Amino acid sequence: TTAPAPLTRAERTGFAETSRGDDVRAFLDTLARAAAARGTPLVVGSLGRTTEGRDIPLVIASRPLVRTPDEARQLGRPIVWVQGNIHAGEVEGKEALQMLLRDLALDPRPNVLDSLVLLAVPN
């Protein structure tokens, strides 16, 4: 089977290339629009900036949607932090986390987003 849109840079290139920072952000923005259209809005924000001035994207995924730490605590579910690419060259986690976010957010069936709050930092 083929993966649903959006695709990561790795998927689009047959895993010959890996996503750069701009690719990750574009993927997450496209995913947020697609997920909202299917009833699973995501919060795509920023954890901060790298020492080189690059954005560090942060995704909050949960059904129902939570936007703040207080909302997450009030929901009473486990809050799970998943970090993808921590060091340069460790690209597998970054690619896998983008795919996981897509698969969970675009699946209308019950999944882990109905039982926890996922905080995901792919890059």
Side-chain angles (χ1 to χ4, degrees):
T1 67
T2 60
L7 298 177
T8 67
R9 181 178 185 138
E11 291 170 312
R12 291 191 318 268
T13 64
F15 297 89
E17 298 176 11
T18 186
S19 302
R20 298 176 184 255
D22 290 343
D23 297 317
V24 172
R25 188 57 192 224
F27 175 89
L28 295 176
D29 290 342
T30 301
L31 176 59
R33 287 189 298 275
R38 292 188 182 200
T40 305
L42 303 172
V43 174
V44 179
S46 178
L47 184 63
R49 297 189 98 45
T50 68
T51 57
E52 294 88 15
R54 288 179 272 188
D55 184 50
I56 303 170
L58 167 68
V59 178
I60 305 170
S62 179
R63 292 191 291 222
L65 177 67
V66 298
R67 295 181 184 276
T68 67
D70 283 339
E71 288 178 2
R73 283 189 290 274
Q74 289 172 4
L75 199 53
R77 295 180 179 169
I79 300 170
V80 178
W81 174 276
V82 182
Q83 178 75 45
N85 190 33
I86 298 172
H87 303 105
E90 296 174 353
V91 299
E92 297 86 353
K94 168 184 58 179
E95 300 301 336
L97 189 47
Q98 291 176 91
M99 294 174 207
L100 176 66
L101 284 167
R102 178 195 57 218
D103 293 350
L104 292 174
L106 298 183
D107 189 347
R109 298 171 296 181
N111 62 47
V112 299
L113 297 184
D114 299 296
S115 58
L116 56 79
V117 176
L118 181 63
L119 304 176
V121 180
N123 203 16

